[in-house]
Amino acid sequence: MKAKKEKIIFRSDCPISSALDLFGDKWSLLIIRDLVYFGERTFKDFSGAAEKISSARLSDRLCKLEVLELIIKSNHPTNKKVYLYTLTPKGMDLFPAIAEYVKWSNKYLNDHIAEPAKEFAQNLEKDREGTLNQFMKR
Amino acid sequence: MKAKKEKIIFRSDCPISSALDLFGDKWSLLIIRDLVYFGERTFKDFSGAAEKISSARLSDRLCKLEVLELIIKSNHPTNKKVYLYTLTPKGMDLFPAIAEYVKWSNKYLNDHIAEPAKEFAQNLEKDREGTLNQFMKR
DNA sequence: ATTTTTACTTTCAATTCGAAAGCAAATATA
DNA sequence: TATATTTGCTTTCGAATTGAAAGTAAAAAT
C-alpha cells in the first residue's frame, strides 16, 4: 500500500498534462480497458492479460487507481481471498479517450491489430455515440 | 539521435496498449498538444512550456515522434540554426484523443484547470465535431 | 491434513529520468 | 571585425522507476 501515501504533483494547470500526471503511464489505461470490457476483474484476471504486467506493478497501479477513485475494490461474494475490481463512473468516463486510441491505432497500425479490435474500431467510426453508449450504460 | 536507432516493441496486438507503446509517456502528448495549438514550434518554444521538460528528454521525444512520423522537422526559412517542428496528419489525428482528456479533466479536475482550457472543454461538450474540425483543418 | 491458489510484498539489477553543465555553430551586438 | 549571446542539442550523473523473480500469508480445494 505504498502507493496510497504518495501525493500527486501536477506539472501545470493544463488538463492534458494533469490527466497524464494521474494515469499517463503504460499500465493504468490497460487496467481501465479490461474493466470496461469485462465489467469486473480479479488480480489474477489482470495478471493474465496479454501484456504481462508484473505483480508488483499491478499491485501499485490498482492502489493508485483506487485512491484516484477510478476503480473500486470489493469483496468477492463467496470467496474471502479474492477481490473484485470495478469501475467508478469517473473511471468509466475515460472510455471515450480510450476509444480514440482504438480508432487511431486501427487507422495507423492496422496490420498489427487483432481482428476483434478492428471490428470495434469500425463500429466506432460508423456510430461513435451508439458504440460508446453500448458500454457506458452497462 | 540515439532514439532513432531503437525499435518499438509492442506488448500485444491490442490497439490501446500499442498506442501506449508508441506515445504513452508523460511528454509525447504534450508536444503534440503544443503543435495542435500553435501550429509550429521550435526547440526553445517547447522548452518554454509550463511543464518544464528537460532538454535531454525533449530532444529524445522529438526524435522518436519524428521517427514515428507524427511530427516533421524542417529548416527555418531565414535562421539556419533554428528548426521548425510541425504535425503530420498522423500526428494531428491524435487530437481527438487529447480532446477527450481535456473533457475528462474539465469534469473531474475542474478547479485545478486553467480558464482557457475550461472554455475549450465547454466548446467540445457543446459541439464536438465543430470544435475538433476548427483545429484539424488548419 | 496437505496441497494449491490467490493476492499480494520483497528484493534487486536494469532502465529511465530530471537537473545541470557543456558544446558547437549561427546569429546578434558592439 | 571581434565578442557575446542564442539555439539546439549532447553528456554526465545521482535518483527514481521498472520488470523479473522469488517469497509469504491466508483461504480454499483436495
Side-chain angles (χ1 to χ4, degrees), chain B residues 3-118:
Chain B
K4 294 208 177 190
K5 307 270 180 178
E6 298 163 27
K7 55 178 137 184
I8 293 126
I9 292 155
F10 290 110
R11 289 170 290 174
S12 75
D13 56 7
C14 163
I16 303 156
S17 81
S18 298
L20 292 172
D21 289 335
L22 297 184
F23 45 78
D25 62 89
K26 299 236 186 269
W27 296 111
S28 292
L29 284 185
L30 300 186
I31 291 172
I32 305 291
R33 169 201 66 183
D34 285 359
L35 289 175
V36 169
Y37 193 77
F38 294 107
E40 64 181 28
R41 298 256 95 182
T42 65
F43 193 96
K44 195 195 174 198
D45 289 335
F46 288 121
S47 295
E51 294 84 10
K52 297 284 162 246
I53 189 171
S54 74
S55 57
R57 214 52 39 212
L58 176 57
S59 178
D60 178 73
R61 288 306 185 284
L62 289 172
C63 280
K64 283 180 176 164
L65 294 176
E66 198 189 351
V67 171
L68 290 174
E69 297 180 288
L70 298 176
I71 67 174
I72 289 169
K73 179 181 185 175
S74 53
N75 292 313
H76 185 101
T78 60
N79 190 326
K80 274 187 189 175
K81 71 177 187 182
V82 172
Y83 298 96
L84 295 177
Y85 295 92
T86 52
L87 282 175
T88 62
K90 187 177 175 181
M92 181 55 95
D93 274 343
L94 287 175
F95 183 43
I98 289 174
E100 293 304 323
Y101 278 178
V102 173
K103 282 164 67 179
W104 188 91
S105 292
N106 188 58
K107 186 169 180 182
Y108 293 106
L109 308 173
N110 183 74
D111 56 354
H112 164 71
I113 300 304
E115 270 310 322
K118 289 184 187 178

